[in-house]
Amino acid sequence: MTRLWNEPADFADEMIDGFVAANERYVRRVPGGVVRSTVSPAGQVAVVVGGGSGHYPAFGGLVGPGLAHGAAMGNLFASPSTQQVYSVAKAADNGGGVFFSYGNYAGDVLNFDAAQERLRAEGIACETVTVTDDIVSATPADKHNRRGIAGDLTVFRIAAAAAEAGADLAEVSRLARLANERTRSFGVAFTGCTLPGAVEPLFTVPEGRMAIGLGIHGEPGIDETDIPTADALAELLVERLLAEVPDGVEVAGARVVPILNGLGSLKYEEMFVVYRRIAQLLTDAGLELVDPHVGEYCTSFDMAGTSLTLFWLAGAGEESELAPLWDAPVDTPAYRRGSVAPQQRVLVTDATADLVAEIPDADEASRAAAQTVLAAVRTIVDTVDTHVDELGRIDAIAGDGDHGIGMQRGSHAALAAATAAVDAGAGARTTLARAADAWADKAGGTSGALWGVILNAVAAKLADEGRPDAAAVAAGVAAGSRGVTDYGKAEVGDKTLVDALVPFSTTLTGAVDSGAGLTDAWRAAADAATRAAARTAELLPRMGRARTHGQNSVGTPDPGAISLALIVTAIAETLAAETRATDDNEKESANA
Ligand code: ADP
Ligand code: MG
């Protein structure tokens, strides 16, 4: 039960405010999360972690010397947006590149990858290692698809210690990958968790029962039993983890770090009783226990549960690369090890200066094109506003009913950003890029991130000089379409917005290639998208939230495909009106 909040919608933001106010010695706030408030050496690889909020001390509590340089902090149990990740990484970068690490969840991967692409495009080197320690969430053969739970800590620490020791980006990622390979976790839960303001827990476990293998957001486990004794639980955890020792590790004589993690409302005393037996069992198995951890490292709001992580520093007789890194000192709000030398604080003026992004210069032709971009974004807003209830209704049939309001939040934010950019004299590219970022940042949900990808891809093919031609727009849409399939991994036929986007893009490119003007090509493409969106009614969803309630949705089209078709259809009219206006102007000036 979460008892204290003001407006539930403000909870995550207010939590970060309070967290920063209480920890100014370690962290300062930047848009999207926190970065260290202490100076890091120039050229040091910046370790940026993150994820949804509700997992404290993950992720903000792990920022400080010896651990992360920054944490992107999303809403409760929701991935940070691309813009949030990007902004935290920009602020954290010391000129040595950015190393991203976070638990392997689809929404996080999508947004961190999109931010990584943007940073790379700006010339900032980036590498990523996702944490995949939860052995229950996929078979050993499929272990790269496992989700990340308390094992985050080991991977983050190894990466950070390597960065602190002066390793370059490639070496930091190599060591982090090794640490992930050597980290295995297994968890159980006794109760679900209740988000602030919610009347029902997110999930429940029957009274007196224990869910085995439950994820940190209530993802299904593999089994359920009566709650065992503390010793029997210890035996279960150890038995499962010793059944999956990392490749090439000789168990007898191996050195391991055991981490018994509390998920939010289990008492430390209960965990110590369980750990007593864990330590006996691991020692009996011939392991050498190094630096045991019992406490809260990655929680799940107020969920009662625990997980055991084994971090295999070295097999018997193996020279360990990881052990010396594990000894490095750490000093963060929630986690300390050894003693870190006093640190110099960042001057606040330095800290804020880097955050004000300038509007690049634009010529008159591109500023005129920016007006068309603005008109198109306004059309999107009107279209979404008109259809908001209908989109929500379709999404509720197999999804969660938020597609209308998500699109509304995203498009309105995009309009505000595009308006501000145009007012500041931005060209077409910058105007659309600002709109894209604002959309992804404010929309939330899968579709918000994907619309950010689409609009950013189109923006990248425009320029702040000259008037964009039809070929540039078609190339941008094609890049957006590829971006969506790269990030979202859905293919045509999976019942997603891809089903409308792909025919839209191919028809647009085809028409432009055969010499049509933008307006005519766009209209033909919009018609193709509309027909394809309608046809999604027959399909079974294979991606996204709708997957689990697939059967319900047969007979109803995909909400994301429908909203895309409605939007591109309305934009066809905007383009026609803009073209007429431009032609009239040109005639007038020719006549004058
Ligand atoms: P959420 O699913 O996070 O609640 P929305 O309700 O705003 O987000 O959007 C749902 C739409 O997102 C779906 O109708 C589908 O078109 C699209 N979608 C979901 N997952 C994917 C994916 N992996 N690739 C492409 N589109 C997707
Ligand atoms: Mg939804």
Side-chain angles (χ1 to χ4, degrees):
M1 191 61 196
T2 306
R3 297 172 187 83
L4 297 174
W5 63 84
N6 299 309
E7 270 304 313
D10 296 337
F11 188 91
D13 247 359
E14 294 183 349
M15 177 275 292
I16 300 173
D17 281 343
F19 164 67
V20 172
N23 290 286
E24 283 175 345
R25 186 156 80 84
Y26 298 101
V27 292
R28 63 187 170 91
R29 193 157 187 177
V30 294
V34 296
V35 296
R36 290 188 194 175
S37 60
T38 50
V39 176
S40 311
Q44 185 171 91
V45 171
V47 175
V48 174
V49 302
S53 293
H55 303 297
Y56 195 84
F59 296 88
L62 304 178
V63 174
L67 239 167
H69 293 77
M73 298 168 79
N75 216 321
L76 302 177
F77 286 3
S79 158
S81 69
T82 304
Q83 177 64 20
Q84 286 182 302
V85 176
Y86 170 85
S87 135
V88 169
K90 280 280 267 199
D93 181 31
N94 306 307
V98 176
F99 175 75
F100 288 113
S101 191
Y102 50 91
N104 184 36
Y105 295 91
D108 293 286
V109 172
L110 199 114
N111 285 298
F112 275 84
D113 274 356
Q116 171 168 276
E117 286 307 313
R118 287 187 49 192
L119 293 160
R120 284 179 177 160
E122 289 180 16
I124 298 177
C126 298
E127 289 299 329
T128 295
V129 173
T130 54
V131 182
T132 54
D133 57 314
D134 184 4
I135 63 168
V136 170
S137 52
T139 61
D142 207 17
K143 61 179 193 275
H144 63 284
N145 281 328
R146 287 174 170 174
R147 61 200 177 205
I149 52 175
D152 282 348
L153 180 70
T154 64
V155 181
F156 296 174
R157 270 198 67 186
I158 292 301
E164 211 86 37
D168 66 10
L169 190 55
E171 181 66 356
V172 168
S173 11
R174 184 186 71 80
L175 289 160
R177 203 161 283 122
L178 175 62
N180 184 51
E181 179 49 41
R182 290 298 183 88
T183 304
R184 299 280 198 284
S185 303
F186 185 88
V188 298
F190 311 106
T191 69
C193 52
T194 309
L195 298 183
V199 283
E200 296 281 332
L202 206 57
F203 61 93
T204 54
V205 180
E207 189 66 37
R209 303 281 285 173
M210 176 176 87
I212 297 179
L214 205 89
I216 57 175
H217 314 93
E219 298 91 337
I222 47 169
D223 207 353
E224 202 189 275
T225 61
D226 286 340
I227 296 179
T229 60
D231 282 1
L233 175 59
E235 280 149 27
L236 172 75
L237 295 170
V238 168
E239 184 196 323
R240 294 292 175 127
L241 289 173
L242 290 189
E244 226 204 271
V245 176
D247 290 345
V249 173
E250 182 69 49
V251 174
R255 277 180 287 159
V256 293
V257 179
I259 302 176
L260 187 66
N261 174 56
L263 280 154
S265 52
L266 201 64
K267 287 286 294 172
Y268 274 64
E269 285 84 343
E270 291 171 281
M271 287 194 279
F272 287 132
V273 175
V274 175
Y275 184 72
R276 159 194 156 276
R277 183 68 185 139
I278 289 174
Q280 289 167 354
L281 291 165
L282 293 176
T283 310
D284 290 350
L287 299 177
E288 184 192 330
L289 305 188
V290 180
D291 189 23
H293 285 48
V294 178
E296 292 184 344
Y297 306 99
C298 180
T299 61
S300 178
F301 239 88
D302 59 338
M303 167 168 158
T306 183
S307 62
L308 178 65
T309 300
L310 293 184
F311 178 39
W312 299 81
L313 287 175
E318 186 191 359
E319 178 78 42
S320 177
E321 284 191 279
L322 301 171
L325 295 167
W326 190 257
D327 282 339
V330 181
D331 188 22
T332 72
Y335 184 89
R336 275 152 231 169
R337 243 41 199 182
S339 71
V340 167
Q343 305 278 312
Q344 199 191 334
R345 291 276 295 273
V346 171
L347 290 173
V348 178
T349 45
D350 297 352
T352 42
D354 52 26
L355 299 172
V356 190
E358 275 182 24
I359 299 270
D361 288 339
D363 68 7
E364 202 178 319
S366 188
R367 285 208 299 272
Q371 293 289 351
T372 307
V373 169
L374 183 60
V377 176
R378 195 172 286 121
T379 301
I380 299 179
V381 165
D382 294 343
T383 310
V384 171
D385 284 353
T386 307
H387 296 280
V388 62
D389 293 339
E390 184 195 341
L391 295 172
R393 189 186 57 75
I394 316 179
D395 189 31
I397 290 171
D400 53 0
D402 63 353
H403 186 59
I405 52 169
M407 291 290 287
Q408 205 168 34
R409 273 197 308 268
S411 60
H412 282 255
L415 181 59
T419 307
V422 164
D423 288 350
R429 179 199 192 121
T430 302
T431 301
L432 188 55
R434 294 290 166 98
D437 290 344
W439 186 315
D441 200 23
K442 288 289 168 346
T446 315
S447 67
L450 296 178
W451 272 89
V453 168
I454 298 170
L455 298 181
N456 259 315
V458 177
K461 299 286 179 192
L462 306 181
D464 288 328
E465 284 102 40
R467 196 176 166 77
D469 59 9
V473 176
V477 171
S481 176
R482 279 193 303 277
V484 166
T485 38
D486 282 356
Y487 294 128
K489 309 278 186 264
E491 294 166 12
V492 170
D494 287 346
K495 195 166 188 162
T496 69
L497 59 84
V498 168
D499 290 322
L501 181 56
V502 167
F504 177 73
S505 173
T506 47
T507 310
L508 183 66
T509 302
V512 168
D513 283 353
S514 51
L518 180 60
T519 309
D520 292 338
W522 190 286
R523 180 164 292 127
D527 289 346
T530 305
R531 286 193 300 272
R535 281 198 302 270
T536 60
E538 298 145 30
L539 300 170
L540 258 182
R542 288 199 291 262
M543 298 298 287
R545 281 180 209 282
R547 199 182 42 168
T548 35
H549 303 283
Q551 207 55 51
N552 300 350
S553 84
V554 175
T556 308
D558 174 64
I562 290 290
S563 61
L564 189 128
L566 289 168
I567 285 169
V568 293
T569 302
I571 290 178
E573 291 313 312
T574 309
L575 290 176
E578 292 282 319
T579 315
R580 278 193 299 274
T582 320
D583 290 352
D584 289 350
N585 283 344
E586 274 163 16
K587 272 185 212 131
E588 264 166 42
S589 40
N591 292 341

